[in-house]
Amino acid sequence: MKQVLIALLVTGALYSLPVQSTEVANIENVNNGGVASLRGITELDTTRKADPMKRVEKDRSPIDRDYVYQPPLIPHQTRHYEVSLNANKCLSCHSWKYAGEMGATKISVTHYQSREGQVLSDVSPRRYFCLQCHVTQADAAPLVENEFKRVDSLR
Ligand code: HEC
Ligand code: HEC
């Protein structure tokens, strides 16, 4: 019995050897080469402390658009607004059914179109996760320089 156990332990050790060496090799490859990215110069295998959450601007009137077909920016807070399989808080104000009563902008017809341009009877699945395209605003310094200028027709 003892011999069997020892044999098992030895084979176990042999099997685990190659695994260990690849792990070491991987760690040696982790090196940002002194290049700073948006997450700073932290090495790739290090978890950097998260930045403090930015304060989203207070509710205000709609924000002017910078180009035609821009997804409008969200001029209000969205904290705790659930968008899941069971509920879509955004649609409880912005859907065609509730927008009038809630004083919110209706989602546009494009939000009812399928990928092939077919008009559906309810919001298209590809427009369900509103925050994929519409974003709240915070008073923060830009992360990268940006010289984008509003199109002439909207200036
Ligand atoms: C309690 C109701 C309510 C909820 C919930 C709500 N909104 Fe709004 N939203 C409004 C109102 C009211 C306005 C401003 C309409 C106005 O003043 O013309 C607005 C404005 C907007 C605008 C700007 C529209 C434009 O034409 O500039 C966007 C985009 C928007 N909301 C997206 C969202 C998203 C995304 C969610 C979910 C995360 C959401 N809203 C949840 C009421 C709501
Ligand atoms: C894939 C990107 C995308 C998603 C997802 C999306 N939108 Fe939009 N939304 C846009 C774009 C682009 C526009 C402007 C062009 C247009 O009207 O289609 C827009 C326009 C709007 C407008 C302004 C309509 C108007 O008549 O001025 C509202 C309000 C809005 N979206 C709300 C929502 C809500 C609420 C959701 C989630 C249910 C949502 N959107 C999901 C891209 C998106």
Side-chain angles (χ1 to χ4, degrees):
M1 185 63 190
K2 214 174 178 183
Q3 274 167 340
V4 174
L5 266 182
I6 289 170
L8 276 177
L9 283 175
V10 169
T11 36
L14 281 176
Y15 275 118
S16 60
L17 265 181
V19 174
Q20 258 178 358
S21 53
T22 46
E23 270 172 18
V24 170
N26 283 342
I27 289 166
E28 278 168 0
N29 285 336
V30 176
N31 179 358
N32 62 24
V35 176
S37 67
L38 289 180
R39 68 194 287 273
I41 49 166
T42 323
E43 291 293 351
L44 297 174
D45 59 342
T46 315
T47 306
R48 189 178 68 101
K49 200 165 164 270
D51 291 329
M53 296 267 276
K54 300 270 189 305
R55 200 179 267 270
V56 170
E57 281 180 5
K58 278 214 242 57
D59 297 0
R60 47 169 290 186
S61 49
I63 303 162
D64 288 343
R65 301 190 197 185
D66 294 317
Y67 58 94
V68 183
Y69 257 90
Q70 175 195 340
L73 302 167
I74 307 177
H76 56 69
Q77 313 251 343
T78 54
R79 201 148 193 207
H80 306 310
Y81 284 0
E82 181 180 345
V83 177
S84 69
L85 182 67
N86 307 318
N88 187 319
K89 179 72 180 169
C90 314
L91 287 175
S92 69
C93 290
H94 287 282
S95 68
W96 285 24
K97 187 171 174 192
Y98 299 114
E101 166 190 341
M102 300 309 292
T105 332
K106 277 196 288 195
I107 53 172
S108 68
V109 277
T110 58
H111 293 44
Y112 288 92
Q113 279 164 10
S114 73
R115 194 164 28 175
E116 289 79 26
Q118 249 179 336
V119 179
L120 310 172
S121 62
D122 204 347
V123 67
S124 172
R126 66 191 191 130
R127 289 280 196 267
Y128 189 80
F129 296 101
C130 320
L131 296 170
Q132 246 180 295
C133 305
H134 299 282
V135 287
T136 50
Q137 296 300 291
D139 186 14
L143 289 173
V144 288
E145 200 189 326
N146 185 347
E147 293 173 352
F148 185 86
K149 290 203 178 62
R150 181 169 289 179
V151 289
D152 285 341
S153 62
L154 295 181
R155 253 186 234 169

